[in-house]
Amino acid sequence: MKIENILNEWGIIITIILIAIPVIVASIIVILRANTVVSNYFKKKELEKFNEYIKDLHPEEVQKLEQRKKELEFALSNNELAGETTPIDTKGLINHVSQVEALRFIEQKKKSQPRPYIEPQLSKLILWYLGCATFWLVFGTTVGEYLGIKFVAPDVDHYSWLSFGRLRPVHTNAVFWGWASLAMMGLAYYVIPRVSNVPIASIKTGYRSLILINTSVIIGSICLMAGINNGGGEYREYIWPVMALFGIGILISLRNFFKTIAKRTNKEIYVSNWYIISAMMYLLVIAFVAYWPGWQRGLGETIVQGYYMHQGVGMWFMLFNLGLMYYFLPQQLNRPIYSYSLGILAFWTQILFYTLIGTHHFIFSAIPWWLQTVAIVGSAGMIIPVVAGTTNFLMTFKGSWNKLSGSYTLPFYLIGIIFYFTGSLQGTAEAFRFTNLVWHFTDFTVAHSHLTMYGIICFMLWGFIYTIVPRLTGNEPPQITVGAHFWLALIGLIFYSFPLMYGATLRGLMWMDGKPFIESVELMAPYWMWRAIGGSLMWLSHILFAYNFYVMVRRKEEIIIPESPIDILKAKLELDKQTITNK
Amino acid sequence: MEFFDNHKKLFRSALGLFLLLTLFVAIIPALNNQENNAPLPNYEPSSEEASLGKKSFIANGCVACHTQQVRNVDMDKMWGKRPGIAADYAGITRTDFWRNTATLMGTERTGPDLTNIGTRQPGLAWNLLHLYQPRTVVEKSIMPAYPWLFEIKNEIGKDDVEVIVPDEFRKGINGKIIAKKEALHLVAYLQSLKQTPLPEGKIPMEFLYKKKESPMSDGNKANLPDGQTLYTQNCASCHQANGEGLKGAFPPLKGSSIVLEDNLELFVDIIMRGYDAREEYAVMNAVGTDNNLSPEEVTAIINHEKTSWGNNAKTVTSDDVKKIMDYIKQASKK
């Protein structure tokens, strides 16, 4: 691959086009926005002039307008046939009346339902969490997208701060601790007070936690790019003082949640809280064990690394998200969870088996053979919680499948649940000694981690966010961009992971065959290209998600110049009132 | 149930269970491992340059693509003479107060394993050139280039090490490309990466999942392994796949007199013990000895070189090669 003709490569061209599309779309959006601002400005000027004019309106003119208003407002009473009696709907039979007025190009999905009152301060806190999370999603995946391009064009830049080895952990840590963690925490601030039936103990603590976590990810990312890292363990690349900020952030929120649960007015502790509180406790345990700066010589480091990275994924992200799912899914479907006991079974078996499986990342390595076997057994045991959880969710869905097509949130839930099943079981399959032989060290692991962290965690989080934000702000996202987000993310993920898994399998077989290593690098080239293409689609979907989020939280401000007699009179009335109060 | 409705009891037991399991699968095994393993008797602590190089290896995140572990499976044979054991890592301690121990075992092998790279590819010139721009020596490589470890000077100073970069990769650069201290340290670290031999009499662990020996069908080639594969694995990174070498660094084999002439002793000797007779080229390491090549493998490589890229010389037999190799072995023992 000569560097000068890399731009003649079809794949590069496709990737560049794919990257250019969102940039072009974004510029169009920017231009449209700017246009509105400018025209708003001119309209404002016009409005001022008009107001001057109607202030000095001649009484005769006013009279004429009033006359015309009366005429225009004339209408039939609509009671000509029905008479004066008001119809009564004592049994509440007429409900959710919807009317179709125009031809439908996009199927109209159900609007979000009004929900119990949330204090505005808490709303604001949750939106801050979700907003920061969205920022880290876009940031982290932009970095990820760039890394994917580097596989295809290793010489795109030669800056030390942007070199592959330094940027890779920036990507993983930003999406882990910035995006997913903050989104989960924000959603927990919604769920915990809801299921405990009391207000949150302290909103201030929520903000402190938010600031700590953001600071940790900002400093961490800069450190990594500057070449300051912890020595290579995956997801443990931040040095301990940086990770400590994150840990403190979680700790204070954990106390906050615990206090809230202690004050609960219902007797039971809903199963969501089991999962969420446990996930937070476990994160603190694993971070403490992995970061305590006084131990881990030699292979001790590797054993702890296996434990840490896998508990981070399974006991923090997965457990937390399952907890959120146990709240949101029944609530979205408007029916109770299929089986509470299955949820409890899944909870305890997940703890039992998941904790054991960390070292399955180091099979055949120099760590004790018995520990590797325990990890493999634990991975097989994971079938129990995964099957229990999936069954529970799908049985809750049962009888409500028709709701799926009419909702823009439920597809996210369903994909999350499906990937929960396939992704987790794929992890079990990968842990066996023979499959490990073929797939270990290849990009199969990368594909797997995206199928799970993206397919499960991200899809679930998006579903939850689209569920609650319209409730908090009263603004719905445009359904067409939600749909585009969903499809681009899903198709992108498939383009990303499937070719990568196929290529990685060939690569592993090649290694087993004893072929020269560089031939296996050559082999991967087209699959890395597909990864870059899939990655671009995923990235584009995140831009759409950010846009949707923005639409959901922005405050609308429209300037209307009164035109009809009614509006003009109204405006005059308002203005007159103002002049009186001003005096 | 009372238990499920009491938040203190519930969360305490969930935490307790997790802590207990953590103790058994992480803390105790890790402590055991760090207390009960010591470095091998032949272990050489790394030099100051190599330690500094390791820090730069860590800072640049090289572990993202390079593992340092030879697993006890047959496919890992190409990365070391024996499977890795806990003692291999026992000498590694915390980098400093701020940073954790770096065993750098890695989880991705996007690039080759580096456990034994110091034996496999010790050449300073090759390593520097490869760091400056990997694609100068390995055309298909996707490794990042590290030009910031080098500087451009007009004059070469007393201790400066110049890197001869092919013209197509030095666009816009007029001066001399000099390796900075950091690059030299990094290479020193790579050169220091060698498997420590086990103490006398210790038998290494076996490699599992052995490849089934496939019967060689080609009768004419006298049951020799595939010369092209061996050439790609052992020779191509310097002499290149097209046999043309790199100007100013590695000599061509295409049309080379040593390859074409009948002086088999010299040819085998160069492969087994390295070569440093020509000033205009870099030193060649003892490729055959370092990589434990068998007489059949050496023969296959020689025959590949004698008959490729337009070379058309008489092939040799493994018996002849074996005789010379035995002689070299004896001579070097004395």
Side-chain angles (χ1 to χ4, degrees):
Chain A
M1 206 191 303
K2 288 268 162 57
I3 301 148
E4 58 260 47
N5 58 17
I6 198 152
L7 284 173
N8 294 337
E9 298 280 331
W10 263 108
I12 299 279
I13 297 171
I14 294 171
T15 316
I16 291 172
I17 292 172
L18 283 171
I19 301 162
I21 292 169
V23 175
I24 293 167
V25 173
S27 342
I28 293 172
I29 293 171
V30 169
I31 292 167
L32 289 179
R33 294 290 310 159
N35 193 25
T36 339
V37 171
V38 172
S39 71
N40 272 354
Y41 173 77
F42 285 115
K43 270 190 182 172
K44 234 180 203 162
K45 289 270 165 206
E46 204 184 325
L47 182 69
E48 275 164 21
K49 267 189 211 159
F50 195 81
N51 286 343
E52 286 301 313
Y53 163 69
I54 50 177
K55 251 188 208 167
D56 310 322
L57 218 53
H58 198 271
E60 229 170 76
E61 279 180 292
V62 175
Q63 214 172 9
K64 266 187 195 161
L65 282 169
E66 261 164 5
Q67 175 65 26
R68 186 68 189 132
K69 181 187 169 197
K70 228 181 249 167
E71 289 164 14
L72 279 174
E73 277 176 342
F74 173 80
L76 289 173
S77 66
N78 281 336
N79 297 342
E80 280 83 4
L81 296 174
E84 292 299 318
T85 341
T86 336
I88 304 168
D89 179 23
T90 47
K91 304 219 164 119
L93 295 176
I94 302 166
N95 202 4
H96 296 308
V97 180
S98 67
Q99 286 173 312
V100 181
E101 280 143 359
L103 255 182
R104 290 182 300 180
F105 177 62
I106 299 287
E107 193 194 7
Q108 204 55 35
K109 310 261 165 147
K110 221 166 128 191
K111 298 269 180 192
S112 129
Q113 300 286 305
R115 283 288 157 185
Y117 173 77
I118 313 278
E119 318 100 276
Q121 292 96 327
L122 182 62
S123 269
K124 208 172 142 197
L125 173 69
I126 296 168
L127 291 176
W128 265 108
Y129 267 96
L130 299 180
C132 293
T134 309
F135 167 78
W136 288 116
L137 173 71
V138 173
F139 170 82
T141 53
T142 304
V143 173
E145 167 73 359
Y146 191 56
L147 289 169
I149 291 171
K150 288 203 158 197
F151 272 87
V152 195
D155 287 312
V156 282
D157 80 73
H158 287 149
Y159 299 105
S160 61
W161 280 50
L162 299 180
S163 72
F164 183 87
R166 296 191 189 184
L167 271 192
R168 185 181 190 267
V170 173
H171 161 66
T172 53
N173 286 289
V175 292
F176 267 41
W177 312 125
W179 148 242
S181 299
L182 278 178
M184 283 165 9
M185 291 297 291
L187 293 162
Y189 267 99
Y190 180 87
V191 172
I192 300 237
R194 264 354 89 217
V195 296
S196 307
N197 220 359
V198 281
I200 190 81
S202 155
I203 288 182
K204 245 189 201 155
T205 310
Y207 280 105
R208 284 198 193 109
S209 200
L210 177 72
I211 291 166
L212 282 166
I213 295 174
N214 273 318
T215 316
S216 164
V217 184
I218 293 168
I219 300 180
S221 302
I222 293 171
C223 279
L224 290 177
M225 285 197 272
I228 301 163
N229 67 54
N230 197 30
E234 274 172 314
Y235 320 134
R236 191 155 60 142
E237 287 97 344
Y238 289 173
I239 52 173
W240 67 261
V242 175
M243 200 56 188
L245 295 176
F246 185 89
I248 296 167
I250 299 295
L251 180 69
I252 58 177
S253 272
L254 174 64
R255 275 194 62 213
N256 198 9
F257 290 159
F258 197 76
K259 275 189 209 155
T260 311
I261 293 172
K263 284 193 307 191
R264 73 190 179 282
T265 52
N266 40 356
K267 187 157 156 280
E268 306 81 28
I269 305 163
Y270 185 63
V271 73
S272 285
N273 283 349
W274 297 32
Y275 279 88
I276 294 172
I277 295 289
S278 300
M280 293 172 75
M281 293 191 304
Y282 298 168
L283 178 88
L284 292 171
V285 172
I286 60 170
F288 187 79
V289 169
Y291 272 100
W292 178 247
W295 72 315
Q296 299 174 49
R297 286 198 312 276
L299 271 194
E301 186 261 351
T302 309
I303 293 169
V304 173
Q305 173 60 23
Y307 161 83
Y308 167 82
M309 87 191 251
H310 222 95
Q311 303 315 310
V313 179
M315 291 312 210
W316 169 240
F317 294 106
M318 201 60 245
L319 209 60
F320 206 120
N321 267 271
L322 289 174
L324 295 172
M325 189 56 114
Y326 275 105
Y327 171 78
F328 282 107
L329 184 69
Q331 213 238 28
Q332 272 301 84
L333 293 171
N334 205 13
R335 60 198 339 249
I337 194 84
Y338 169 70
S339 161
Y340 203 78
S341 337
L342 264 184
I344 292 170
L345 171 78
F347 177 78
W348 293 107
T349 45
Q350 165 114 1
I351 297 173
L352 180 62
F353 291 120
Y354 215 118
T355 317
L356 304 179
I357 68 182
T359 37
H360 77 198
H361 288 259
F362 297 99
I363 288 175
F364 298 122
S365 75
I367 66 169
W369 192 256
W370 70 264
L371 202 57
Q372 300 179 27
T373 309
V374 166
I376 296 169
V377 172
S379 310
M382 275 308 289
I383 293 172
I384 300 172
V386 171
V387 170
T390 317
T391 313
N392 212 357
F393 296 140
L394 289 182
M395 291 305 276
T396 310
F397 250 113
K398 202 183 144 202
S400 307
W401 293 107
N402 55 333
K403 287 186 182 161
L404 196 64
S405 65
S407 158
Y408 60 82
T409 55
L410 284 176
F412 286 98
Y413 287 65
L414 185 66
I415 292 295
I417 293 167
I418 288 170
F419 275 119
Y420 174 52
F421 184 72
T422 56
S424 307
L425 291 190
Q426 186 193 42
T428 301
E430 276 181 80
F432 295 135
R433 285 205 169 95
F434 181 75
T435 44
N436 208 275
L437 208 56
V438 185
W439 287 332
H440 196 41
F441 292 147
T442 67
D443 285 296
F444 201 94
T445 324
V446 181
H448 170 70
S449 60
H450 281 81
L451 281 178
T452 48
M453 278 304 294
Y454 196 83
I456 306 173
I457 307 294
C458 294
F459 271 86
M460 286 185 180
L461 289 175
W462 287 324
F464 304 153
I465 291 173
Y466 282 131
T467 305
I468 69 158
V469 179
R471 281 183 203 167
L472 299 177
T473 62
N475 294 340
E476 301 250 348
Q479 296 192 353
I480 182 162
T481 45
V482 177
H485 166 203
F486 174 78
W487 288 110
L488 283 174
L490 183 59
I491 294 169
L493 177 61
I494 288 169
F495 278 10
Y496 181 104
S497 52
F498 288 23
L500 215 47
M501 289 193 280
Y502 178 71
T505 310
L506 295 182
R507 192 178 197 197
L509 292 172
M510 216 169 185
W511 288 349
M512 288 169 79
D513 215 19
K515 290 270 160 45
F517 189 84
I518 191 67
E519 281 180 23
S520 75
V521 175
E522 228 179 310
L523 164 94
M524 286 304 290
Y527 308 107
W528 282 331
M529 175 60 70
W530 275 107
R531 181 240 293 268
I533 293 168
S536 310
L537 297 179
M538 287 151 81
W539 182 74
L540 178 57
S541 83
H542 305 156
I543 303 291
L544 289 174
F545 167 68
Y547 171 74
N548 290 338
F549 186 78
Y550 162 74
V551 172
M552 288 190 281
V553 296
R554 77 165 163 194
R555 280 190 213 93
K556 276 187 203 149
E557 197 192 348
E558 274 180 74
I559 298 170
I560 303 156
I561 309 269
E563 279 170 359
S564 69
I566 304 163
D567 290 337
I568 296 170
L569 279 174
K570 218 181 183 178
K572 178 166 171 58
L573 212 68
E574 289 287 317
L575 282 170
D576 287 347
K577 243 196 246 161
Q578 268 180 30
T579 36
I580 291 163
T581 43
N582 283 351
K583 276 170 193 171
Chain B
M1 253 193 287
E2 215 276 316
F3 170 73
F4 290 152
D5 296 337
N6 182 323
H7 56 274
K8 281 188 187 149
K9 279 188 193 164
L10 175 69
F11 294 133
R12 258 183 219 151
S13 20
L15 183 62
L17 176 61
F18 186 67
L19 283 174
L20 192 73
L21 290 168
T22 298
L23 203 62
F24 281 109
V25 298
I27 297 179
I28 293 176
L31 282 175
N32 247 331
N33 223 284
Q34 73 177 37
E35 298 310 328
N36 300 337
N37 282 295
L40 293 169
N42 301 327
Y43 173 75
E44 286 172 32
S46 48
S47 65
E48 198 183 323
E49 283 84 25
S51 309
L52 288 169
K54 183 176 182 182
K55 286 201 173 146
S56 130
F57 187 91
I58 295 169
N60 285 302
C62 306
V63 70
C65 299
H66 295 287
T67 53
Q68 286 186 32
Q69 47 174 321
V70 179
R71 299 171 299 167
N72 57 344
V73 290
D74 202 54
M75 63 196 277
D76 271 23
K77 245 182 177 167
M78 63 167 88
W79 307 123
K81 294 186 178 108
R82 59 170 176 83
I85 51 175
D88 289 334
Y89 304 92
I92 306 171
T93 51
R94 246 190 118 73
T95 308
D96 51 36
F97 178 66
W98 306 103
R99 289 175 291 180
N100 200 3
T101 316
T103 55
L104 301 172
M105 284 175 89
T107 54
E108 281 276 311
R109 211 172 256 172
T110 309
D113 184 272
L114 299 182
T115 310
N116 213 19
I117 190 70
T119 311
R120 215 165 54 238
Q121 185 53 280
L124 176 68
W126 187 89
N127 271 303
L128 286 176
L129 190 53
H130 184 249
L131 279 178
Y132 180 77
Q133 171 54 275
R135 278 152 293 286
T136 54
V137 279
V138 185
E139 194 195 349
K140 300 286 182 189
S141 170
I142 59 154
M143 178 168 137
Y146 293 89
W148 62 88
L149 302 178
F150 298 82
E151 56 195 334
I152 315 292
K153 281 187 183 173
N154 290 327
E155 296 286 314
I156 304 178
K158 204 175 100 232
D159 298 323
D160 284 348
V161 182
E162 192 196 352
V163 187
I164 310 284
V165 178
D167 290 342
E168 50 182 312
F169 289 100
R170 47 178 304 154
K171 274 185 198 133
I173 296 171
N174 295 318
K176 311 267 186 198
I177 299 171
I178 307 291
K180 281 191 201 163
K181 279 265 152 15
E182 214 186 337
L184 295 172
H185 292 158
L186 195 49
V187 175
Y189 171 64
L190 294 173
Q191 287 170 330
S192 78
L193 290 175
K194 289 176 184 169
Q195 272 191 320
T196 311
L198 290 179
E200 222 39 66
K202 272 265 184 194
I203 299 157
M205 236 196 303
E206 251 190 278
F207 284 104
L208 304 174
Y209 297 93
K210 286 241 173 5
K211 204 168 79 178
K212 281 193 201 110
E213 290 298 330
S214 54
M216 314 248 183
S217 53
D218 215 333
N220 285 342
K221 291 190 178 164
N223 289 352
L224 289 178
D226 182 15
Q228 179 161 11
T229 303
L230 286 165
Y231 178 82
T232 313
Q233 266 165 354
N234 298 293
C235 321
S237 62
C238 293
H239 296 292
Q240 302 299 302
N242 58 13
E244 288 172 12
L246 279 181
K247 216 181 108 195
F250 313 114
L253 302 178
K254 182 178 169 181
S256 145
S257 57
I258 292 173
V259 173
L260 293 174
E261 278 165 18
D262 280 340
N263 189 349
L264 188 60
E265 283 81 9
L266 178 61
F267 200 165
V268 175
D269 190 66
I270 290 174
I271 294 179
M272 296 312 289
R273 296 205 298 189
Y275 198 52
D276 189 19
R278 295 170 68 177
E279 210 168 88
E280 70 269 36
Y281 292 121
V283 186
M284 171 170 166
N285 64 307
V287 174
T289 312
D290 291 347
N291 294 319
N292 245 349
L293 296 181
S294 69
E296 288 74 25
E297 287 169 326
V298 173
T299 314
I301 291 173
I302 290 177
N303 285 346
H304 176 72
E305 290 175 0
K306 276 179 180 288
T307 56
S308 305
W309 324 296
N311 285 356
N312 193 6
K314 236 173 68 191
T315 55
V316 296
T317 66
S318 57
D319 289 342
D320 292 341
V321 173
K322 190 170 185 305
K323 263 181 226 153
I324 300 167
M325 279 173 68
D326 287 343
Y327 178 77
I328 293 171
K329 232 179 243 164
Q330 298 239 314
S332 44
K333 261 186 195 159
K334 282 170 199 166

